[in-house]
Amino acid sequence: MGVNDGADSAYYLSLGYRVLGIEANPALADRLKDRFARELLGQQYILLNAGIAATEGQLDFWVSDVSEWSSFNREIASRNGTPHRPVTIPTRRFASVVAEFGVPLYCKIDIEGNDRLCLTDLTLETTPSYVSIEMSHPDADDDLELLRKLGYTRYKIVSQVTRAQPIPLLMTMGYRLPTFFNRALRYSTRKAFGVGTKDGWRFQLGSSGPFGEDTPGSWHPYDHVRRTWEALRDIDARFGTRGLAEWFDIHAAR
């Protein structure tokens, strides 16, 4: 969910999976229809132009000039003074999508503000084998607790920039450097790790990368990944505007 430019969808399709994409932004949905016209015709790809919300019907959706920030939450769409505008779009409960299309092997959740609604609409009977959700810096403990109640027992936190599992101690040491060197370190990290490959597939900066058992590093129990999140949260709290300059996904497996 949150297809954006379709980079992740293209990767999943390349692996031979049948893919359901949910994209709220009508303009992006039109581009995706052109990009995946063949896959849509062959029903290997299904695209829903709708937003996941607490109710079914229609709501105003804020389309941001930074497409990744478009959201039902105007504060998210307008962060840093970014121009944005409302469009009225159809909404779906995530439970109704699962009821219509079935339980997926993997569910990627990255929808800028309504992510948790997807987890609260899952049940023990409808949980995918693998799920990822963009990590909330301040309150990911709520998402982790929901995942645990849904029966997930293995976890990873993976950087959306380096596509590696973070080492909070090293990150904290980096933020102690003078501002210039800290920024240089973070820039070089992006340049070195922002684009990766797997089995010949080239992941562009901004795509989520591999999923499931192909995600980097070892799986960890709940307590370990919660401590990792707490350490990342504390970096933000201690260093303010010099805090986490990247985002992370929480991956969970049953």
Side-chain angles (χ1 to χ4, degrees), residues 2-20:
V3 180
N4 197 37
D5 64 359
D8 292 318
S9 292
Y11 173 59
Y12 308 147
L13 288 165
S14 77
L15 298 176
Y17 290 107
R18 188 166 180 253
V19 178
L20 169 66

Side-chain angles (χ1 to χ4, degrees), residues 22 81 89 100 123 139 245:
I22 306 174
I89 64 168
E100 180 178 354
T123 67
D139 59 359

Side-chain angles (χ1 to χ4, degrees), residues 91-111:
T91 59
R92 296 281 303 265
R93 287 283 303 269
F94 185 56
S96 76
V97 175
V98 175
E100 180 178 354
F101 295 99
V103 179
L105 170 69
Y106 165 59
C107 180
K108 171 189 172 291
I109 305 169
D110 187 350
I111 53 175

